[in-house]
Amino acid sequence: MDQLRAIRYFCKVVETGSFTQAALSFHVPPSSLSRRVADLELSLGATLLKRSTRAVKLTEIGRTYYAQVNDILRQLELSNDTVRSYQTVPTGKLRISAMVEFGEPMLFPLLEEFSERYPQIILDVRLSDELTAFSRDDVDIAIRGGYAPNERVVAIKLMGNQFVTVATQAYLARYGVPNSPLELANHYGLYYRTPNGPLRWVSEINGQWQDVSAPQVAISNNGKWLLSKVLAGQGMMMAPRWLLKDYLLSGELKELVFNPAINITSSDDLGIYLLYQKQRYLVPKVKAAVDFLVARIKSAHP
């Protein structure tokens, strides 16, 4: 336990950049904390930290050691959290990462209901389209669009994620209604930017998938802004049907049908997935959130 305590002290010094700040975190004298870190270095036979009057920095071997022991500490805390929380009331901080465009219209209203049901859970919600690595990002649950991931996590398909092409009646009256994918060359496109770049529009023509994207008007990872430009008649866009449902029902936007069809991928197996690490399901706060979100979203989108 002494070595474990010394490792915790060492990691906190790295994170804060100060022996004094690290000591405050553990409510111990700085001299005591510094002595334990020095003993750790002595036992390892290596200098982990460069000390000066202005700053504390990692040595080369210290950087390697920190990366390894910090991951061990995180796994240990995960195990402790599982044991402490087993068969208890769902409580604590729940870290959720979700796609940007899924957050406001779909996730946030559900989380309001979830918070009323589980008031002792503190929600920490991050909206990002970046792929989540659970071991790196310190996330309990992630919601992502695309395909079932290869990462060793549990992936539950919440709903389909079919993309449709839309424009306003005013835009179509001005520029015409395209029926063939090749006619998109005479139109204007608004494109959502993913971490891998703007979404492309593709179609299978004569047995080969081809890029049929319309000339670009604007590109952004802000779907609201792109949608406002579509509604203003400045172009057409491809977006998930669930995101455009209200606009299609009201008639503000018209869905365009092409022959052959266009899509953002050559695969039809797109979906919205809820991801979590299998062992985390034993923690009541995670189990409560997984069960709640899966049930509510699947019932609304059978």
Side-chain angles (χ1 to χ4, degrees):
M1 294 301 292
D2 284 345
Q3 185 181 25
L4 180 60
R5 184 181 295 112
I7 290 172
R8 291 186 187 278
Y9 287 173
F10 163 70
C11 288
K12 185 59 69 173
V13 171
V14 175
E15 292 164 7
T16 61
S18 164
F19 281 92
T20 301
Q21 290 299 319
L24 287 173
S25 300
F26 290 103
H27 306 288
V28 298
S31 59
S32 176
L33 183 141
S34 178
R35 186 166 55 252
R36 284 193 177 274
V37 174
D39 289 343
L40 174 65
E41 291 178 311
L42 185 62
S43 70
L44 294 171
T47 301
L48 303 175
L49 297 168
K50 297 177 184 176
R51 301 160 173 82
S52 70
T53 56
R54 292 186 175 182
V56 180
K57 296 183 179 180
L58 284 166
T59 62
E60 184 177 353
I61 188 61
R63 189 174 296 108
T64 300
Y65 185 72
Y66 171 74
Q68 294 178 352
V69 297
N70 191 48
D71 187 54
I72 292 171
L73 289 178
R74 182 177 296 176
Q75 291 299 317
L76 180 60
E77 183 57 33
L78 175 63
S79 299
N80 291 343
D81 195 15
T82 300
V83 174
R84 284 194 299 264
S85 301
Y86 186 65
Q87 291 184 335
T88 61
V89 175
T91 186
K93 183 179 290 187
L94 179 71
R95 294 167 286 263
I96 301 175
S97 175
M99 300 177 299
V100 175
E101 297 308 315
F102 191 84
E104 187 170 335
M106 298 288 289
L107 182 61
F108 286 157
L110 292 178
L111 291 181
E112 291 299 320
E113 182 182 343
F114 180 79
S115 291
E116 292 179 6
R117 187 176 299 187
Y118 300 102
Q120 295 186 48
I121 294 179
I122 301 168
L123 295 174
D124 181 351
V125 183
R126 314 167 198 181
L127 298 184
S128 171
D129 291 325
E130 297 287 345
L131 294 178
T132 298
F134 285 89
S135 59
R136 178 196 67 206
D137 297 336
D138 196 19
V139 169
D140 294 308
I141 294 172
I143 298 177
R144 289 290 178 269
Y147 311 103
N150 294 324
E151 188 180 356
R152 288 178 291 179
V153 296
V154 178
I156 301 175
K157 188 172 183 178
L158 299 174
M159 54 189 281
N161 198 29
Q162 179 193 10
F163 275 65
V164 295
T165 312
V166 296
T168 61
Q169 292 285 6
Y171 172 90
L172 296 173
R174 181 177 181 181
Y175 296 102
V177 180
N179 297 305
S180 163
L182 298 179
E183 294 178 31
L184 289 171
N186 301 317
H187 286 266
Y188 301 96
L190 297 147
Y191 294 89
Y192 190 83
R193 179 181 293 282
T194 73
N196 296 321
L199 289 177
R200 296 185 308 141
W201 302 355
V202 297
S203 181
E204 189 175 15
I205 302 174
N206 298 326
Q208 291 188 332
W209 285 95
Q210 299 182 30
D211 188 331
V212 295
S213 303
Q216 296 172 344
V217 173
I219 305 168
S220 176
N221 65 346
N222 188 309
K224 275 190 172 181
W225 182 64
L226 293 175
L227 184 57
S228 70
K229 295 180 79 64
V230 174
L231 292 170
Q234 296 178 23
M236 56 179 62
M237 72 181 296
M238 290 197 74
R241 183 182 295 278
W242 56 263
L243 186 63
L244 303 172
K245 180 178 65 175
D246 291 341
Y247 298 97
L248 292 171
L249 289 175
S250 69
E252 290 180 85
L253 292 176
K254 177 180 173 58
E255 179 181 349
L256 301 175
V257 179
F258 295 89
N259 185 23
I262 69 171
N263 206 337
I264 60 164
T265 174
S266 59
S267 173
D268 293 327
D269 192 29
L270 287 177
I272 304 293
Y273 290 87
L274 184 145
L275 314 174
Y276 64 91
Q277 291 176 300
K278 186 176 181 179
Q279 69 270 28
R280 293 295 286 167
Y281 191 71
L282 296 173
V283 180
K285 64 182 180 182
V286 176
K287 182 180 186 303
V290 169
D291 292 350
F292 174 84
L293 291 173
V294 170
R296 295 290 281 108
I297 295 175
K298 279 196 169 187
S299 65
H301 300 272

